[in-house]
């Protein structure tokens, strides 16, 4: 690990860079109940143009292989929502490092999403990353072509060719719930070494002079390891934090259980972070867990949940308007939750929708609900037609993003406590 | 609407090529006015390969095809009836055409058996034995509610010859009468008879003579494009369009390759359909004037040009080959992007044909087009022969 002296040098370089360069800004506008807050993210840089403001808590769009799943740029515009930064999970774009470098205009333009600020996460919130493939020199990510090893140099070269507005620094977040003490120590210490090496390169890079960098707080489910990781990471000159290493991926049906064990640790960890910098939590998280995480002080999430629901033929039914009883989940006939965490969706593959010509969610302003019926989407799912997933993705994304709008509105009115699941 | 006002269809020829049999016109249907010659993409199960209906409209596509066999199975005529027809069900505001279901059955189902009653087959979904009679086909097509519907015909492979072909031709005529008789919505839906007769010009002629005795709004040319020799294919098209009345639209079934489209427009056909442009997109094949490019090919890994620099489709305006190369056959988005381009290609080809006929420059267009496809002038003999038959010399 780096000495205190070298840390000072790093910080000095960072401060100098802060004076010269223009990177992302974040400010807390209003404090809500518990640790929740309404924030503002601005000056995300895309080439020489700055984009913002984005109010937090914010759901970033989730992409895989460079596209919002099932939605071409043309169809994405039917979402009818303002531009939001897009998460590009590194595993799904690792094959594009070389072509993007030759292309030279960044990954956003490379994949036809040039209007959207790019954020790169180290792992994919949806795809499970097998355990046991990280070592001292670097980490492994799993692309469709198999395992790809990345050390700091390769990682930073990738970041330079992708030219994101902000990115999560290389980290070892391979800490399943049953991790040994040794594994947790490795995760924390190696992540800090990676962070320092990445920062060295980052601060020297001309290509990344407008790019914001997020450090990773790791340490799995150990409060001690988390504390050490958080306290060391905050000493580094980073623009934000990703709370990583909770391994949602590998715990599909045990998510709720995992979440309950995670929550006190998350709460504790966030209190160690400076309040003037944004915090990210990735994962396929349903609305109630999102709300809990927001109350722990998380600002940024990703829309992988909307994607996961779409993939199983589900349609989200989160109430999207603040009426007399905000947060009152619509339980309609046919809302048959498969288990406790599918409670926000209906299963459109169900035969009961065969002749149901009403929209997915009455009053939903999304393109799908304005134009198509449950019966039609049921038919498309039944015949394995791709349009089913296009229409579901449009609705689910719209619904999930609207849920975040409601949360922001409630915080600004000082009424977040009214939202209960 | 037009001369054939008792049908829900008008056909007005705007311009005819002075050299070939090519013509351009407007086909007025209950849901859209469609310029001909027209290519109709195939949306088998009430959707076109993941595209929104809105995207199709923006591509200037105003007439698409649905398959009666598939739609009859799922969602089934009862659901479609309750939905108020396929237009409502899939939210498609423009025109639709449905086939009779017969072709699909004979080609998809090994267990089908044809007799005078109809086509008997075993449902792949619940293994019930089902009879698709001419009446049943029309009943389903009435529930679907397409602007143009097809008679049930007795389909014989174009590689079969002998008495079976003649039997099928006569049966097709008998079935036409049963279809017309059972058709419930002639004021809203136009039924097209299908010219059969295999590769026998006498049978084709006889078939047309019988069909024109019936009062029908247009004609389909069937039983071709099924693997027969190309010189038989074009000469059958040529003979059939010679016999057909000039004032009614002619729909050549199952044709959609660019070269075939250009030749058959010269032979006087007005409407075409084919699954190829959308099916090939799924495998990462994009249509260009020189044929098609397979985006999976490694040579595109760092090719930052659009599929076609001339193309104005939303895919070519935003995406380059290198990115498409990385996602074709892996991501549904790639399939959507290539499908958009391929439909745009077909639409733009047909527009070029129409425009050149309007300005009476169609023969020059054909020569230039063929040179782009065959830059070495190694034209297939059937193309040279077919075009020579309508006074276009490729040499
Ligand atoms: Zn909706
Ligand atoms: Zn194009």
């Amino acid at each position: 690990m780096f000495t205190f002296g070298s840390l000072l040098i790093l910080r000095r370089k960072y401060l100098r860079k802060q004076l010269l360069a223009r990177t992302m800004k974040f400010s807390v506008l209003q404090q809500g109940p518990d640790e929740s807050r309404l924030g503002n993210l601005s000056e995300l840089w895309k080439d020489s143009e700055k984009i913002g403001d984005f109010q937090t808590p914010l759901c970033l769009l989730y992409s895989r292989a460079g596209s919002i799943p099932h939605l071409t740029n043309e169809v994405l515009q039917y979402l009818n929502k303002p531009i939001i930064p897009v998460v590009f999970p590194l595993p799904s774009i690792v094959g594009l490092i070389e072509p993007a470098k030759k292309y030279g205009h960044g990954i956003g333009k490379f994949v036809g999403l040039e209007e959207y600020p790019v954020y790169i996460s180290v792992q994919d919130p949806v795809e499970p990353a097998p355990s046991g493939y990280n070592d001292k020199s670097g980490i492994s990510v799993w692309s469709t072509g198999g395992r790809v090893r990345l050390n700091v140099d390769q990682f930073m070269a990738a970041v330079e060719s992708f030219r994101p507005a902000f990115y999560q620094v290389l980290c070892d977040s391979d800490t399943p719930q049953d991790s040994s003490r040794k594994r947790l120590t490795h995760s924390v210490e190696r992540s800090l070494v990676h962070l320092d090496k990445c920062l060295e390169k980052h601060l020297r890079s001309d290509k990344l002079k407008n790019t914001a960098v997020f450090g990773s707080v790791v340490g799995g489910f150990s409060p001690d390891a988390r504390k050490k990781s958080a306290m060391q990471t905050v000493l580094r000159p980073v623009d934000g934090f990703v709370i990583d290493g909770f391994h949602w991926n590998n715990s599909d049906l045990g998510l709720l259980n995992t979440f309950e064990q995670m929550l006190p640790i998350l709460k504790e960890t966030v209190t160690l972070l400076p309040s003037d910098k944004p915090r990210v939590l990735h994962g396929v998280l349903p609305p109630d867990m999102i709300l809990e995480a927001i109350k722990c002080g998380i600002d940024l999430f990703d829309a992988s949940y909307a994607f996961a629901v779409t993939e199983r033929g589900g349609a989200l039914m989160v109430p999207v308007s603040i009426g007399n009883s905000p947060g009152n989940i619509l339980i309609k006939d046919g809302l048959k939750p498969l288990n406790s965490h599918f409670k926000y969706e209906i299963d459109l593959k169900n035969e009961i929708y065969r002749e149901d010509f009403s929209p997915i969610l009455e009053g939903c302003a999304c393109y799908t609900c304005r134009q198509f019926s449950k019966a039609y989407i049921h038919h498309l799912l039944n015949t394995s037609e791709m349009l089913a997933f296009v229409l579901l993705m449009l609705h689910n994304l719209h619904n999930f993003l609207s849920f975040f709008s409601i949360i922001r509105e409630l915080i600004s009115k000082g009424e977040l406590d009214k939202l209960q699941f | 609407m037009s001369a054939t006002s008792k049908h829900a269809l008008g056909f007005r020829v705007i311009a005819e090529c002075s050299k070939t049999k090519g013509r351009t016109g407007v086909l007025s249907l209950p849901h859209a006015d469609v310029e001909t010659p027209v290519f109709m993409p195939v949306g088998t199960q009430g959707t076109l390969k993941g595209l929104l209906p809105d995207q199709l409209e923006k591509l200037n596509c105003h007439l698409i095809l649905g398959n009666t066999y598939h739609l009859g199975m799922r969602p089934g005529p009862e659901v479609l009836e309750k939905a108020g027809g396929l237009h409502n069900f899939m939210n498609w505001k423009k025109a639709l055409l449905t086939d009779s279901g017969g072709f699909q059955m004979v080609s998809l189902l090994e267990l089908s058996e044809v007799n005078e009653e109809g086509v008997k087959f075993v449902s792949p979904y619940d293994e019930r034995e089902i009879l698709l009679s001419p009446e049943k086909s029309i009943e389903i097509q009435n529930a679907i509610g397409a602007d143009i519907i097809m008679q049930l015909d007795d389909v014989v492979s174009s590689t079969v010859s002998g008495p079976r072909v003649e039997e099928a031709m006569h049966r097709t005529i008998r079935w036409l009468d049963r279809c017309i008789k059972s058709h419930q919505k002639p004021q809203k839906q136009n039924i097209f008879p299908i010219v059969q007769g295999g590769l026998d010009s006498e049978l084709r002629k006889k078939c047309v003579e019988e069909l024109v005795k019936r009062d029908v709004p247009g004609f389909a040319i069937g039983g071709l494009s099924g693997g027969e020799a190309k010189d038989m294919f074009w000469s059958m098209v040529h003979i059939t369009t010679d016999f057909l009345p000039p004032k009614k639209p002619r729909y050549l079934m199952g044709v959609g390759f660019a070269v075939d489209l250009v030749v058959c427009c010269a032979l006087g056909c007005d409407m075409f359909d084919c699954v190829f442009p959308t099916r090939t997109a799924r495998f990462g094949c994009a249509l260009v004037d020189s044929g098609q490019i397979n985006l999976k090919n490694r040579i595109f890994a760092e090719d930052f040009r659009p599929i076609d620099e001339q193309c104005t489709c939303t895919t070519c305006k935003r995406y380059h080959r290198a990115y498409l190369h990385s996602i074709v056959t892996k991501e549904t988005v790639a399939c959507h992007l290539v499908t958009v381009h391929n439909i745009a290609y077909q639409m733009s080809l047909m527009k070029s044909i129409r425009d050149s006929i309007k300005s009476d420059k169609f023969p020059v267009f054909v020569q230039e087009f063929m040179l782009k496809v065959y830059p070495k002038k190694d034209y297939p003999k059937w193309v040279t022969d077919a075009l020579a038959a309508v006074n276009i010399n490729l040499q």
Side-chain angles (χ1 to χ4, degrees):
Chain A
M1 204 178 304
F2 274 44
T3 61
F4 192 62
S6 63
L7 257 184
L8 276 180
I9 298 170
L10 259 181
R11 284 184 71 85
R12 220 172 291 139
K13 279 189 191 162
Y14 174 72
L15 290 174
R16 195 161 59 232
K17 188 183 142 126
Q18 286 266 294
L19 289 175
L20 297 170
R22 314 156 293 185
T23 51
M24 183 165 109
K25 293 191 170 42
F26 179 75
S27 56
V28 175
L29 304 174
Q30 193 179 331
Q31 201 65 40
D34 299 309
E35 294 303 314
S36 67
R37 66 240 194 111
L38 187 71
N40 188 56
L41 196 64
S42 61
E43 300 197 22
L44 292 184
W45 287 86
K46 197 167 58 60
D47 290 319
S48 54
E49 165 196 6
K50 64 179 169 186
I51 307 181
D53 304 59
F54 303 100
Q55 298 229 318
T56 64
L58 178 69
C59 179
L60 308 172
L61 294 175
Y62 166 78
S63 75
R64 53 165 44 199
S67 284
I68 310 304
H70 308 300
L71 306 182
T72 63
N73 187 297
E74 180 184 13
V75 176
L76 180 58
Q77 303 319 310
Y78 285 80
L79 190 59
N80 212 4
K81 293 268 179 189
I83 295 280
I84 310 170
V86 178
V87 187
F88 288 74
L90 186 58
S92 78
I93 52 168
V94 77
L96 298 179
I97 297 173
E98 273 312 304
K101 187 177 172 185
K102 290 225 170 64
Y103 184 61
H105 306 291
I107 188 71
K109 191 166 165 130
F110 186 93
V111 301
L113 289 172
E114 61 174 312
E115 294 83 358
Y116 295 77
V118 171
Y119 160 65
I120 293 169
S121 67
V122 173
Q123 296 293 352
D124 191 317
V126 175
E127 296 296 327
S131 204
Y133 292 92
N134 296 349
D135 58 28
K136 244 184 186 167
S137 65
I139 64 152
S140 293
V141 297
W142 300 79
S143 72
T144 48
R147 180 160 77 112
V148 180
R149 290 188 38 86
L150 288 167
N151 60 29
V152 167
D153 289 345
Q154 290 161 326
F155 175 78
M156 289 307 290
V159 173
E160 285 201 332
S161 67
F162 292 146
R163 297 165 62 179
F166 61 118
Y167 69 101
Q168 178 191 5
V169 143
L170 191 73
C171 67
D172 180 340
S173 54
D174 178 13
T175 46
Q177 244 169 319
D178 57 355
S179 291
S180 66
R181 188 175 289 271
K182 189 175 156 199
R183 176 84 280 270
L184 291 167
T185 309
H186 277 157
S187 158
V188 172
E189 291 186 349
R190 286 174 186 170
S191 293
L192 287 168
V193 174
H194 296 333
L195 173 60
D196 287 340
K197 286 185 181 165
C198 286
L199 283 172
E200 267 292 327
K201 289 199 171 287
H202 179 91
L203 295 174
R204 261 190 273 127
S205 168
D206 188 49
K207 284 186 182 137
L208 300 177
K209 66 178 194 295
N210 294 337
T211 296
V213 48
F214 279 41
S216 311
V217 176
V218 294
F221 291 81
S222 155
D224 290 346
R226 283 279 163 194
K227 190 172 177 187
K228 186 179 176 194
S229 177
M231 291 181 72
Q232 285 293 318
T233 307
V234 297
L235 296 176
R236 271 74 179 172
V238 291
D239 302 291
F241 301 92
V242 181
I243 322 294
D244 210 345
F246 283 121
H247 268 254
W248 309 109
N249 301 337
N250 296 346
S251 57
D252 196 13
L253 287 178
L255 177 67
L256 191 62
N257 197 19
T258 316
F259 188 81
E260 274 163 10
Q261 294 180 36
M262 184 276 284
L263 209 52
I265 302 168
L266 179 68
K267 202 172 247 162
E268 188 63 31
T269 307
V270 174
T271 57
L272 301 169
L273 304 176
S275 62
D276 62 346
K277 287 179 180 173
R279 303 122 179 194
V280 185
L281 182 69
H282 288 299
V284 183
L285 299 174
D288 50 353
M289 296 188 194
I290 296 276
L291 183 61
E292 288 302 321
I294 286 172
K295 287 179 176 170
C296 290
I298 299 294
D299 307 294
L300 298 170
F301 298 87
D302 65 68
S304 55
Y305 177 70
F307 168 64
V309 172
T310 300
E311 289 303 278
R312 54 181 178 246
L316 278 177
M317 303 291 281
V318 184
V320 287
S321 62
I322 308 175
N324 295 329
S325 51
N328 201 2
I329 292 295
L330 258 126
I331 307 285
K332 294 186 99 183
D333 297 341
L335 182 60
K336 290 191 177 138
L338 296 175
N339 61 45
S340 58
H341 58 279
F342 287 0
K343 63 188 165 189
Y344 304 104
E345 70 199 71
I346 54 171
D347 176 10
L348 281 181
K349 294 192 296 304
N350 197 314
E351 267 294 300
I352 57 169
Y353 300 113
R354 217 176 107 84
E355 296 184 1
D356 186 339
F357 300 109
S358 65
I360 295 169
L361 185 56
E362 290 293 347
C364 178
C366 88
Y367 183 74
T368 301
C369 289
R370 280 187 285 120
Q371 308 268 342
F372 302 93
S373 66
K374 292 203 268 292
Y376 181 57
I377 300 169
H378 168 78
H379 162 70
L380 295 175
L381 285 168
N382 205 15
T383 49
S384 309
E385 285 284 351
M386 286 179 288
L387 187 62
F389 300 99
V390 174
L391 297 179
L392 281 175
M393 196 67 195
L394 280 174
H395 166 79
N396 289 339
L397 256 185
H398 189 278
N399 188 240
F400 200 53
L401 295 177
S402 303
F403 168 67
F404 277 81
S405 309
I406 288 179
I407 286 180
R408 290 190 296 269
E409 196 180 330
L410 288 174
I411 296 177
S412 75
K413 287 182 177 167
E415 293 179 350
L416 187 64
D417 275 334
K418 282 194 184 169
L419 188 62
Q420 259 155 20
F421 290 111
Chain B
M1 204 174 342
S2 76
T4 51
S5 58
K6 59 178 289 214
H7 299 292
L9 177 149
F11 183 59
R12 188 161 55 91
V13 174
I14 291 172
E16 285 170 302
C17 174
S18 55
K19 247 177 160 180
T20 70
K21 292 195 277 177
R23 71 248 193 100
T24 176
V26 176
L27 186 63
S28 299
L29 297 168
H31 291 87
D33 282 352
V34 179
E35 290 183 82
T36 63
V38 62
F39 175 79
M40 307 177 282
V42 181
T44 299
Q45 320 204 77
T47 160
L48 208 139
K49 295 286 167 223
L51 266 54
L52 298 170
D54 215 34
Q55 287 179 283
L56 283 170
E57 276 197 49
K58 284 183 189 161
L59 284 162
N60 256 326
C61 175
H62 294 154
L63 174 55
I64 63 171
L65 196 139
N67 289 122
T68 294
Y69 165 72
H70 290 100
L71 291 164
M73 285 290 173
R74 300 182 302 184
E78 301 81 15
V79 171
L80 288 168
E81 193 98 58
K82 283 181 188 155
L86 182 60
H87 281 97
N88 275 348
F89 188 59
M90 67 179 289
N91 195 30
W92 173 245
K93 311 222 166 27
K94 301 292 178 175
L96 276 168
L97 180 150
T98 44
D99 63 3
S100 67
F103 175 77
Q104 235 97 28
M105 251 159 251
V106 176
S107 61
L108 293 180
L109 303 168
E110 283 176 36
L111 291 160
S112 67
E113 179 205 322
V114 185
N115 60 33
E116 192 58 28
E117 255 188 301
V119 185
K120 231 183 239 160
F121 68 102
V122 175
S123 160
Y125 304 105
D126 57 12
E127 295 189 0
R128 265 183 315 151
E129 198 180 57
I130 300 174
L131 171 76
L132 185 79
S133 61
E135 292 78 12
K136 185 75 196 167
S137 169
I138 296 303
E139 188 191 321
I140 302 171
Q141 294 191 73
N142 280 163
I144 298 171
D147 300 65
I148 298 174
I149 65 178
M150 289 294 134
Q151 75 151 114
L152 184 71
D153 55 343
D154 185 1
V155 179
V156 181
S157 163
S158 56
T159 52
V160 167
S161 56
R164 175 71 184 98
V165 179
E166 180 157 9
E167 180 198 43
M169 188 273 279
H170 287 299
R171 181 174 287 151
T172 294
I173 296 165
R174 290 194 295 275
W175 282 2
L176 171 65
D177 292 332
R178 286 167 60 185
C179 286
I180 292 175
K181 205 172 157 205
S182 66
H183 184 18
Q184 295 299 309
K185 302 176 182 168
Q187 69 291 354
K188 284 185 189 156
Q189 294 182 278
N190 302 284
I191 185 166
F192 277 29
I194 302 175
V195 180
Q196 289 290 359
L199 304 177
D200 182 327
S201 48
E202 275 311 304
L203 288 182
R204 291 250 162 209
K205 188 178 173 198
K206 235 198 268 177
C207 188
V208 173
E209 279 170 1
E210 275 304 314
L211 299 183
V212 295
K213 288 181 194 161
R214 280 81 177 164
D215 180 22
V216 288
F219 298 88
I221 303 170
L224 295 172
S225 201
E228 70 281 5
K230 276 289 191 180
D231 40 291
M232 287 312 290
F233 162 74
W234 80 259
S235 51
M236 283 304 118
V237 174
H238 187 42
I239 285 164
T240 310
T241 54
D242 274 348
F243 298 145
L244 286 170
K247 289 197 171 127
K248 290 187 177 175
R250 303 147 179 176
Y251 162 30
L252 179 57
M253 303 171 85
V255 168
F257 291 109
V259 168
D260 300 9
L261 288 172
V262 171
V263 169
C264 294
C265 282
L267 298 177
C269 297
D270 307 301
M271 303 161 65
F272 307 88
D273 80 286
C274 184
V275 291
F276 165 72
T278 43
R279 182 174 288 169
T280 203
R282 192 139 53 100
F283 307 112
C285 291
L287 303 178
V288 290
D289 268 344
S290 53
Q292 55 174 312
I293 58 172
N294 186 343
L295 290 160
K296 218 142 182 55
N297 195 317
R298 228 180 292 149
I299 58 167
F300 300 118
E302 291 177 358
D303 186 338
F304 304 123
R305 292 173 299 169
I307 295 169
D308 178 351
E309 257 144 1
Q310 284 356 249
C311 182
T312 57
C313 82
T314 51
T315 301
C316 290
K317 273 194 284 186
R318 184 173 276 272
Y319 294 88
H320 52 67
R321 295 167 177 188
Y323 178 53
L324 294 170
H325 166 80
S326 77
I327 54 169
V328 284
T329 70
K330 292 182 198 145
E331 296 294 326
T332 57
V333 162
C335 182
H336 305 331
L337 290 172
V338 180
T339 301
V340 164
H341 168 80
N342 284 358
I343 292 175
Y345 178 84
Q346 299 288 105
M347 295 299 131
S348 132
L349 173 66
M350 301 315 282
K351 185 176 187 319
S352 304
I353 292 172
R354 294 193 299 267
D355 289 348
S356 68
I357 296 173
K358 276 179 210 158
S359 55
D360 206 8
K361 287 176 182 144
F362 181 58
V364 179
F365 168 83
V366 174
Q367 284 163 332
E368 286 171 357
F369 174 83
M370 292 300 172
L371 197 57
K372 271 191 269 181
V373 182
Y374 306 102
K376 293 183 202 140
K377 295 197 174 184
D378 50 349
Y379 306 116
K381 187 173 177 299
W382 78 270
V383 174
T384 321
D385 290 349
L387 291 173
V390 285
N391 313 309
I392 295 179
N393 187 352
L394 278 189
Q395 292 321 312

